[in-house]
Amino acid sequence: MRALGPGFFDRSVHEVAPDLVGCTVVHGDTAGVIVETEAYDATDPACHAFGGRTPRNEVIFGLPGLAYVYLSYGIHSLLNAVAEADGRAAAVLVRALEPVAGIALMRRRRPGQPDRELCSGPGKLTQALGIGLELNGASLSEPPLAILARDDGWAGVELVAGPRIGITKATELPWRYSAAGNGFVSRPRPA
DNA sequence: GCCAGGATCGTCT
DNA sequence: GACGATCCTGGCG
């Protein structure tokens, strides 16, 4: 399998977000297949970059193919992939993974959780993979952090688009993408 | 199983 | 000084 390069991310975030479903996030010895993503762009009131560039959100405006990691609710690190050309603000939030490697290590990082809960939320998957704020601005194309291209088995998987979760602005935009029929989505999928 | 409430802190007004 | 792109626990049925 091959790591996705900047070219993959240098497109509309609304193409990148659905295309990331089925790709594999690797960090260290742990890895999981993406089953749910959300798109954010500069026209979107729910996006951190809406309303201007600050030191915090600077990475979103930068080069495609980098990781944007930030702290939510003072507790959870959330992982995003920066999309679109340098100077344009857009990113894809990784909401849920299906664990595929390093599962024993994930269990150790998330004691007491059943396997299907190891990566079934944006804060959970960063804990399971050991992704923290120190990876903000890191490349997604080379170790220790990478996103690998989808393999052929996912070519025909049906994608469902629905409203985004956990936000209070622009909740009507159907910019959440999940793989239908898997047990690892972070919330029940839309009807 | 479902729901309500608390945790916890960087960032911006 | 308020507010999150969330998660976990405890109470109840």
Side-chain angles (χ1 to χ4, degrees), chain A residues 144-185:
Chain A
L145 183 61
I147 297 182
L148 307 182
R150 196 153 49 188
D151 70 36
D152 296 339
W154 283 77
V157 170
E158 181 185 359
L159 287 191
V160 179
R164 292 174 297 177
I165 300 279
I167 56 176
T168 59
K169 299 167 192 163
T171 55
E172 73 284 0
L173 298 175
W175 290 356
R176 175 168 68 120
Y177 304 95
S178 53
N182 71 77
F184 294 91
V185 292

Side-chain angles (χ1 to χ4, degrees), chain A residues 69-139:
Chain A
V69 183
Y70 77 97
L71 190 65
S72 177
Y73 291 87
I75 305 175
H76 305 290
S77 301
L78 270 57
L79 173 66
N80 299 250
V82 176
E84 305 195 7
D86 192 12
R88 296 176 56 90
V92 179
L93 171 67
V94 179
R95 279 198 66 84
L97 303 177
E98 177 178 340
V100 294
I103 294 176
L105 179 53
M106 293 182 188
R107 290 194 191 110
R108 210 175 319 143
R109 286 171 172 155
R110 293 182 46 71
Q113 298 298 314
D115 283 6
R116 63 181 301 119
E117 306 283 329
L118 287 175
C119 297
S120 62
K124 300 178 189 180
L125 69 91
T126 55
Q127 187 187 357
L129 298 209
I131 293 170
L133 298 180
E134 70 279 5
L135 291 172
N136 186 37
S139 170

Side-chain angles (χ1 to χ4, degrees), chain A residues 17-68:
Chain A
D19 280 358
L20 279 175
V21 175
C23 296
T24 301
V25 177
V26 181
H27 182 233
D29 294 324
T30 56
V33 176
I34 298 172
V35 294
E36 188 169 1
T37 62
E38 285 178 359
Y40 291 84
D41 74 24
T43 68
D44 171 8
C47 181
H48 286 174
F50 183 81
R53 189 169 188 152
T54 69
R56 176 205 194 190
N57 62 31
E58 184 178 334
V59 173
I60 302 180
F61 289 83
L63 295 170
L66 301 185
Y68 170 55

